[in-house]
Amino acid sequence: MADLIQDQLLQARGDVSGQIQLMWELIKTPLIVPLLKLCVIVSLTMSLMLFMERLYMGIVIVLVKIFWKKPEKRYKWELLPDPADDIEMGSTNYPCVLIQIPMFNEREVYKVSIGAACNLSWPADRLVIQVLDDSTDPVIKNMVEVECQRWASKGINIVYQIRENRVGYKAGALKEGLKREYVKNCEYVAIFDADFRPEPDYLRRAIPFLMYNPELALVQARWRFVNADECLMTRMQEMSLDYHFTVEQEVGSSTHAFFGFNGTAGVWRIAAINDAGGWKDRTTVEDMDLAVRASLKGWQFVYLGDLQVKSELPSTFKAFRFQQHRWSCGPANLFRKMVMEIVRNDKVKFWKKLYVIYSFFLVRKITAHMVTFFFYCVVLPLTILIPEVDVPLWGSVYIPSIITILNSVGTPRSIHLLFYWILFENVMSLHRTKATIIGLLEAGRANEWVVTEKLGDSQKKKANAKDKPTNVKAAVKKARSKILERMNYLELGFGVFLFLCGCYDFMYGKWSYYVYLFLQSITFFIVGFGYVGTII
């Protein structure tokens, strides 16, 4: 009797699996295979778009480095003397400049940024430093205010400014700061986020471009990172941002006198800000919004790669992920809002409009994120499970390899980390793609603003504290309590998916993609378990 029941169960189970197999065969050929082939075509098209864009910028940057004149030669420019060395002239040769330092609960870095601004070599009577503090922690607010008072007692013209609410976030704070009566005499405004540390000669090198070239609205400096060697994650960020500054900003500045303002380490002509309509908080990239609007008004920008400002990279994955969400969602949302305005604009040339719409927005801000995730993390693994669909070798290997090599030119010291950078960027493309879609659809988190956490010297203090005796039981308990908090389930899910695809390819595949799939799945697992920021 028992044997009969067992046979019937096995037969029923076999029927169910057979039915599932039959249903799969029925829908695979007419539906799944054509759909996947379409995805491959779309992915290859986007890859070619990205490849041509990278190749174009690579050619232009080589030409710029060899044949183009430096900004000091292309524009009228003369280094302003150090005020300490030009006592006879006094401050008559110096325009009035406003320094804006927006802050939000910046316990670890507020002293550094305020101190750097106060040490700028500029006549004290021609400089106004405005600390725009939106902090919600009363203790931190008091600390920042005391620091401002300390510098004011030394003769520095520094103003501590607060608001009743955080409407508009950073854009709202900057806009409110420009409304103050004492700002009316200022011609230019330099903006520094709370972790940025300009060198004393920053203004003397940047301001002359605006003084002698009335068509210029913005001078943008390059970022340098004081904590790039902190962990592997910060090294990856440095590689991505160095390409942005070394190639993207340089190409935009040299060919079209346009690029996206980076939100900090730049000097604006206040008249240009007003002409463009001022700061707006309709997206989370108020800096890019202002830059595009100013460009459409006919204003030009200049990027100074030799003028560098120290700053800090996010050193925790949580902070980095929030930052990348804002940096990916905001541009996509801005593109949605401004694309027709750019098309209808009649103040700029056709080629500049094409550059802004296609190159600046469509390829760099949208296509680059989507193709990285959909092609290499979804479509390519699925073609392994469905062998009827092929991906040409030039699309899966050659083009990605060339794009990667071109991306590495910004940070030659990290060339040995290039392979892991690819894997890490593929993981981050998951969040960037999600954020881009949210921005294009203007969905729930389109206007989410989370201030990037800055740690300053607190990491060093923590490292020193490790050498001191501690309560082992308490430390273990605390570590266990954070395990679930550190888990990133979306990354873990994709790690499992890629691992299974790798196993299938190892057993039945013909292209040996399993090497890539296993390594990519390991990277997803590392990020999924929250250890990416701790790997040295």
Side-chain angles (χ1 to χ4, degrees), residues 184-196:
K184 291 185 177 179
N185 295 325
C186 297
E187 297 180 56
Y188 313 110
V189 54
I191 302 167
F192 299 105
D193 283 351
D195 58 315
F196 278 72

Side-chain angles (χ1 to χ4, degrees), residues 81-92 94:
D82 191 322
D85 300 333
D86 196 17
I87 300 176
E88 292 184 4
M89 294 296 293
S91 60
T92 56
Y94 297 84

Side-chain angles (χ1 to χ4, degrees), residues 344-392:
R344 291 192 293 262
N345 184 273
D346 57 0
K347 289 190 177 181
V348 298
K349 295 179 180 179
F350 169 78
W351 292 111
K352 187 169 184 177
K353 290 194 289 185
L354 180 64
Y355 174 79
V356 174
I357 292 175
Y358 177 78
S359 182
F360 181 76
F361 274 115
L362 188 60
V363 177
R364 294 188 219 165
K365 309 301 180 184
I366 297 174
T367 301
H369 304 324
M370 289 188 171
V371 69
T372 304
F373 173 65
F374 282 124
F375 191 21
Y376 305 118
C377 298
V378 178
V379 174
L380 190 61
L382 286 177
T383 60
I384 292 170
L385 302 179
I386 304 176
E388 292 89 344
V389 181
D390 281 328
V391 177

